[in-house]
Amino acid sequence: QVRLEESGGGSAEAGGSLRISCEVARNTYSYYCMGWFRQAPGKEREGVAAIDSSGNTNYPDSVKGRFIISQDNAKATLYLQMNSLKPEDTAIYYCAAQFRYRYERPPLGRYDYHYWGQGTQVTVSS
């Protein structure tokens, strides 16, 4: 059973930066997609970054140029570097993984992922 555990959430001022991490346990799949999602109160969970086992990435326009997803395979850890933070980035951030299907580009849809972490809070003040 794959387990995902996020860490590194916290608070930042607008314009600042934060990096959150996701430790991935028991991933034995050669192909995978991993993503970062966020959910603000009263809003749907949305994808903010995705990466596959080949290193292909995908971002929505709302974070493109500000967020960077990366992975350290030796440490089995996924990262999300968030720069130029805005108050609207405030949310609980979740990492997710899927191993069933191959995609040309790692997807950003929440229903494309089957394993989820518990989430970490990110708060950006103005």
Side-chain angles (χ1 to χ4, degrees):
Q1 180 77 6
V2 174
R3 287 185 292 111
L4 308 174
E5 185 170 355
E6 302 93 340
S7 62
S11 299
E13 293 187 352
S17 298
L18 278 175
R19 189 178 80 160
I20 55 178
S21 304
C22 175
E23 199 170 322
V24 184
R26 301 185 185 176
N27 176 11
T28 60
Y29 297 89
S30 59
Y31 174 82
Y32 57 83
C33 295
M34 297 205 65
W36 284 102
F37 291 76
R38 67 185 180 189
Q39 188 164 18
K43 293 191 175 182
E44 293 287 319
R45 191 171 298 190
E46 62 171 347
V48 296
I51 191 167
D52 65 18
S53 48
S54 296
N56 299 305
T57 58
N58 193 9
Y59 303 92
D61 289 343
S62 59
V63 307
K64 201 172 289 184
R66 299 191 299 124
F67 289 10
I68 302 170
I69 189 171
S70 63
Q71 56 191 348
D72 184 331
N73 292 329
K75 296 181 180 178
T77 303
L78 182 73
Y79 301 100
L80 184 67
Q81 177 68 42
M82 301 180 287
N83 302 317
S84 302
L85 283 164
K86 304 176 181 180
E88 52 263 44
D89 294 321
T90 295
I92 299 174
Y93 283 71
Y94 300 89
C95 69
Q98 79 86 30
F99 311 99
R100 290 184 197 172
Y101 305 114
R102 288 185 175 265
Y103 295 87
E104 284 192 13
R105 200 174 182 193
L108 291 170
R110 61 177 292 187
Y111 297 108
D112 293 315
Y113 290 83
H114 313 114
Y115 297 91
W116 293 87
Q118 294 300 306
T120 186
Q121 177 71 46
V122 170
T123 303
V124 183
S125 57
S126 57

